[in-house]
Amino acid sequence: MANNDQLTYLIQESLASMQAGGKIAKEATAEINHAATNEKLKAALEEGNKTAEQWRQRVDRALQEAGGSSEPGNRIIEALYDVSKSVITKYEDDYSRDLAIIESGQLALHYWIAAFGTMDAYAKRAGLSQTSQDMEKCRKEAEQSDKKHTDIALEIIESHG
């Protein structure tokens, strides 16, 4: 298999995994949003759901451009979802639970930042210009969301004393 064919195959496989991860993340965020109590956090999670839908559409479009097909599962996002579910029941007080929700959410955001950044670089090399543009936009949005969650965590900590 030629190098370009290998790169295209890697892109297809990675995008399919990201597509599966997006479906899992949507489920997780909806479930976690019900457990959050801080209003800014709840709003950020809701905004994140809307942004994630845009990411899903871009990943779907990228998968089409790369000529790939769907793959079941994404073990990384599945594991992060398991962590998020345990956080909801592990912490009984709102303060700790909200901070833990932010922490587990940021772990997921860092996965997406890395995945989008990598796909942007690979897509550029493979000549998939629309995919590259979409992945760069997704990465920037994930970075902004990560910063917003950090700011909310700091506000929660400061307001708690």
Side-chain angles (χ1 to χ4, degrees):
M1 191 181 288
N3 283 346
N4 234 20
D5 290 343
Q6 289 174 326
L7 180 59
T8 300
Y9 180 74
L10 177 61
I11 291 168
Q12 291 168 348
E13 289 290 304
S14 297
L15 287 168
S17 180
M18 290 168 67
Q19 184 184 53
K23 292 174 185 171
I24 297 164
K26 183 177 181 176
E27 261 182 66
T29 305
E31 188 174 319
I32 291 164
N33 197 6
H34 295 297
T37 59
N38 179 278
E39 289 305 316
K40 284 187 178 182
L41 175 55
K42 289 178 86 60
L45 291 169
E46 187 59 39
E47 181 182 323
N49 262 347
K50 291 175 185 166
T51 302
E53 178 58 26
Q54 293 173 337
W55 294 352
R56 186 195 61 74
Q57 291 170 6
R58 292 177 195 142
V59 168
D60 288 352
R61 182 171 55 225
L63 196 55
Q64 285 180 333
E65 183 181 21
S69 61
S70 297
E71 285 288 321
N74 180 316
R75 293 188 316 219
I76 295 168
I77 295 297
E78 289 169 5
L80 291 169
Y81 184 19
D82 289 343
V83 168
S84 296
K85 287 191 289 188
S86 72
V87 159
I88 293 170
T89 57
K90 183 176 184 177
Y91 297 99
E92 294 180 14
D93 65 288
D94 294 345
Y95 171 78
S96 298
R97 187 174 43 257
D98 283 350
L99 290 176
I101 287 170
I102 291 170
E103 178 186 9
S104 64
Q106 284 184 296
L107 290 171
L109 281 170
H110 283 247
Y111 162 83
W112 290 111
I113 290 167
F116 291 137
T118 300
M119 280 303 96
D120 175 22
Y122 291 177
K124 278 182 185 149
R125 176 67 177 92
L128 302 171
S129 59
Q130 183 63 54
T131 294
S132 173
Q133 290 171 19
D134 284 346
M135 296 301 103
E136 179 182 15
K137 186 170 186 171
C138 290
R139 180 190 50 78
K140 288 179 178 179
E141 290 167 349
E143 288 171 344
Q144 290 170 349
S145 185
D146 179 56
K147 182 179 179 344
K148 179 181 274 188
H149 282 80
T150 296
D151 292 345
I152 292 169
L154 292 174
E155 285 180 31
I156 292 170
I157 290 168
E158 289 171 10
S159 71
H160 198 42

